[in-house]
Amino acid sequence: MHKLPELEYSYDALEPYIDAQTMELHHSKHHQTYVNGLNKAEEALEKACAEGDFALVEYWSKKAAFNGGGHFLHSLFWKIMAPNGSGGGGEPTGELADKIKEDFGSFEAFRKHFSAAAAAVEGSGWGLLHVRPSDKKLVILQAENQHKLSPWGVAPILGIDVWEHAYYLKYQNKRPDYIKAWWNIVNWKQVEKNYLEALSK
Ligand code: MN3
């Protein structure tokens, strides 16, 4: 059974960039719903397999992908943010910083590209920075919902949730303002760790 991961900081730790109420609802309600949905879908698929009854296999397969995507991306999302004042934000250092310069020209160009991709997600989705281990390139893409529009063979190392539930209480319809504020709490040490881990697999 999949479980809701505990947050490594309190719900108000990302204030004022992300408000405590949004964090509490987002983690304890929305993410929990994806965990429950994934468990339910996997149980139903196991049962279908055991009974040889695949009448609903398309339905449950879709549910497994949607909720599995949600569980995975939210687990990543909580970790790539750091409490306000604890060293998040700014720019990455080390190997990841060098790679961002190599692949995007500068950190500023990268930040603009990523922000634009996140702001332009149609409806609910994510802005994502992936590393593609086959040629070690960093690629910025989107995901619609939790699981569409990113290809196979890439590993997400940084992501921003741009579903309205991630920002609407504080930012209402101003998604670009939320994205701009979010850069202040990006945990670059964790993103670099994700980068190095993805390449070492
Ligand atoms: Mn969300």
Side-chain angles (χ1 to χ4, degrees):
M1 296 290 268
H2 303 278
K3 277 196 189 136
L4 182 69
E6 274 184 34
L7 276 193
E8 291 166 11
Y9 43 78
S10 59
Y11 287 133
D12 64 0
L14 307 179
E15 293 266 14
Y17 304 112
I18 300 181
D19 61 285
Q21 193 187 7
T22 294
M23 283 299 293
E24 181 167 4
L25 290 169
H26 200 176
H27 177 258
S28 70
K29 305 294 183 194
H30 291 277
H31 190 170
Q32 183 70 60
T33 302
Y34 301 132
V35 169
N36 297 346
L38 177 59
N39 285 328
K40 198 173 163 190
E42 290 193 343
E43 237 172 62
L45 287 168
E46 248 177 61
K47 190 164 170 264
C49 187
E51 295 174 356
D53 176 1
F54 298 105
L56 293 177
V57 71
E58 183 188 5
Y59 175 81
W60 287 117
S61 300
K62 281 182 178 169
K63 290 285 178 198
F66 173 77
N67 288 289
H71 178 37
F72 178 86
L73 286 179
H74 285 86
S75 300
L76 172 77
F77 187 53
W78 311 134
K79 290 192 94 158
I80 57 83
M81 296 188 291
N84 186 11
S86 73
E91 296 188 19
T93 53
E95 279 186 57
L96 177 63
D98 295 342
K99 188 63 180 160
I100 285 175
K101 280 193 192 92
E102 188 185 325
D103 287 355
F104 299 99
S106 68
F107 178 76
E108 196 46 28
F110 155 76
R111 202 180 61 80
K112 280 186 183 158
H113 181 169
F114 186 94
S115 296
V121 170
E122 189 178 9
S124 299
W126 295 73
L128 295 169
L129 173 67
H130 298 284
V131 62
R132 188 167 55 205
S134 60
D135 62 359
K136 299 186 168 48
K137 231 178 143 44
L138 293 173
V139 281
I140 295 169
L141 291 168
Q142 302 172 323
E144 280 180 6
N145 294 348
Q146 326 271 22
H147 56 310
K148 300 174 186 169
L149 294 190
S150 276
W152 307 123
V154 297
I157 60 172
L158 172 71
I160 180 171
D161 188 341
V162 294
W163 284 55
E164 285 184 348
H165 68 226
Y167 63 86
Y168 211 83
L169 289 179
K170 186 176 170 78
Y171 296 94
Q172 291 85 47
N173 59 314
K174 298 183 284 287
R175 186 193 281 180
D177 290 357
Y178 155 67
I179 295 168
K180 197 173 163 203
W182 172 81
W183 290 107
N184 289 296
I185 42 168
V186 172
N187 182 351
W188 288 110
K189 286 201 178 80
Q190 181 64 44
V191 181
E192 184 174 36
K193 202 169 156 228
N194 295 344
Y195 168 69
L196 296 171
E197 271 176 21
L199 286 180
S200 70
K201 275 176 192 161

